[in-house]
Amino acid sequence: MAKLHVAASRQYDVIIEHGLLDSVGDLTAELKPACTAVIVAGENAFKLYAKRLIASLERAGFSVKCFVHQTGETAKSLETYGKLLNFLCNERIVSSDVIFALGGGVTGDLAGFAAATYLRGIDYIQLPTTLLAAVDSSVGGKTAINLDSGKNQAGCFHQPLAVFCDLDTLSTLDDSAFRCGCAEIIKYAIFGGSGELFELLKTQDIRQNAEQIIAECVKMKRDIVEKDELDKSLRRLLNLGHSFGHAIEKCSDYAVSHGDAVAIGMVLISRAAVRKGLLSEADCKEIIALIKKYSLPTETELSADELFTAACSDKKIAGGTMQLVVPRKIGHCEIIPVGIDEMKEWLLSGLG
């Protein structure tokens, strides 16, 4: 078992352990009195895990309600968000109740945003069941939904009451879902840890070292969130590969998964960094080799014009400037402000 404490505006623990779903009720009862617990889950996660979670919560004295949403990125929409808010109203959920986000990053973002805005904020607990959610999106309090113009355009910061990661849930992931989490882990390996995590991923398999690797990523994110909770400076390092990755997702109408898009985004920014003299060719080749090792894509058929148009609506643009996260060497990245008029050049350099 790994237990990490996050000292953000709300302090909470991240617990990583096998079989944890069966203890969620007792763990929650240590944090708040028995109340109504609302489980928010996608269809797949609900079928796989809801029965165990409901039993655990009811044993601890909680009354359980369930909201099941469609699978996939389309659930992060104004429509589904509205349905969830109306569900909470119709079930007479009050400010002392609690929401459980059971699933991957989509569920965590949707349930977290509803928890942040319903009755001006109620408690929620993250129960990540995907590798991507375990290493990244479940920690740090970012919640959001997508708008027509782009990804995560409506959202806010709302730290969870706790994060309980049951490692057993990772065994049910298909190769595509597991691969998405690998992309986020590689992101951490490129920008932090002075290269130690990168070397670990080169020589050891993520599936065989899941607890250690998830804990290491959570530690890295925890340290950044504690210094820059509201994403004003240092936390932007976590966007490595995301600026171009989000553009790829949007251009594909989200047919390209988040993990695959981020992997391609990391390759594009690494290649561009080489051509601009900011990253060595050797480090770029190592980054691409590691991405390929975990069967992640490194190329896109989208043009620079298509990606540029999509990137221009990115929420990270302010004052006509995009804050690009650029690898300078393995284990170290820098945030470089790039004007919108320079963005296409960066994209062309990455695609070329």
Side-chain angles (χ1 to χ4, degrees), residues 62-347:
F62 291 88
S63 173
V64 180
K65 307 289 183 181
C66 299
F67 177 88
V68 182
H69 62 76
Q70 71 270 34
T71 299
E73 192 73 25
T74 57
K76 283 177 56 173
S77 65
L78 282 170
E79 180 183 4
T80 308
Y81 168 66
K83 288 179 179 178
L84 176 51
L85 291 182
N86 282 320
F87 175 86
L88 298 174
C89 288
N90 293 337
E91 294 295 338
R92 302 182 186 277
I93 302 304
V94 298
S95 58
S96 58
D97 292 329
V98 60
I99 291 175
F100 288 85
L102 175 67
V106 167
T107 298
D109 280 358
L110 172 67
F113 189 43
T117 51
Y118 180 69
L119 300 179
R120 297 192 176 92
I122 68 173
D123 289 336
Y124 77 112
I125 290 174
Q126 290 274 16
L127 303 175
T129 63
T130 67
L131 183 61
L132 187 153
V135 300
D136 192 70
S137 61
S138 65
V139 179
K142 276 190 177 180
T143 72
I145 57 171
N146 303 333
L147 301 180
D148 292 342
S149 60
K151 185 161 176 163
N152 299 331
Q153 294 286 54
C156 59
F157 294 91
H158 188 50
Q159 298 295 343
L161 185 63
V163 179
F164 301 136
C165 175
D166 187 339
L167 292 167
D168 290 344
T169 63
L170 303 183
S171 65
T172 64
L173 297 177
D174 61 25
D175 289 341
S176 176
F178 193 86
R179 191 174 65 226
C180 284
C182 293
E184 292 289 347
I185 291 171
I186 292 169
K187 174 193 77 175
Y188 282 98
I190 293 170
F191 84 71
S194 300
E196 293 96 338
L197 180 58
F198 195 94
E199 290 301 315
L200 178 67
L201 298 183
K202 284 170 57 178
T203 58
Q204 299 188 36
D205 182 75
I206 290 175
R207 285 188 185 273
Q208 303 303 317
N209 298 275
E211 182 175 327
Q212 176 190 356
I213 290 169
I214 292 170
E216 185 59 35
C217 291
V218 171
K219 285 177 187 175
M220 292 168 69
K221 184 164 190 180
R222 185 246 348 246
D223 292 346
I224 287 175
V225 168
E226 289 180 350
K227 293 174 182 175
D228 179 27
E229 182 175 351
L230 300 182
D231 202 12
K232 300 297 184 183
S233 56
L234 186 64
R235 188 167 178 172
R236 291 174 180 173
L237 288 171
L238 297 168
N239 292 324
L240 174 63
H242 284 60
S243 295
F244 296 161
H246 283 173
I248 292 167
E249 287 183 86
K250 187 174 187 297
C251 287
S252 74
D253 198 22
Y254 302 104
V256 177
S257 70
H258 178 71
D260 284 358
V262 167
I264 297 169
M266 289 189 292
V267 172
L268 295 183
I269 196 65
S270 297
R271 285 177 179 158
V274 170
R275 291 185 170 92
K276 292 179 179 296
L278 301 171
L279 177 71
S280 72
E281 182 71 41
D283 277 3
C284 183
K285 287 181 178 178
E286 283 213 58
I287 288 169
I288 294 173
L290 186 62
I291 289 170
K292 287 181 175 179
K293 175 187 173 181
Y294 288 97
S295 303
L296 287 156
T298 58
E299 308 291 342
T300 178
E301 295 181 357
L302 294 165
S303 69
D305 285 337
E306 290 174 297
L307 293 174
F308 175 74
T309 300
C312 282
S313 64
D314 194 289
K315 68 182 185 303
K316 294 182 287 299
I317 294 176
T321 300
M322 167 77 81
Q323 304 294 323
L324 280 183
V325 184
V326 180
R328 297 301 307 275
K329 63 179 181 179
I330 291 171
H332 177 70
C333 292
E334 291 181 6
I335 300 166
I336 297 178
V338 175
I340 292 298
D341 55 344
E342 301 174 71
M343 281 287 292
K344 189 176 290 187
E345 182 192 345
W346 280 79
L347 284 164

Side-chain angles (χ1 to χ4, degrees), residues 51-63:
K51 185 176 180 180
R52 286 173 58 198
L53 178 58
I54 291 169
S56 176
L57 290 167
E58 289 182 341
R59 284 196 304 269
F62 291 88
S63 173

Side-chain angles (χ1 to χ4, degrees), residues 21-44:
L21 275 179
D22 298 316
S23 303
V24 167
D26 290 338
L27 289 168
T28 305
E30 295 175 4
L31 301 173
K32 64 186 296 145
C35 57
T36 298
V38 179
I39 298 172
V40 178
E43 295 165 340
N44 293 338

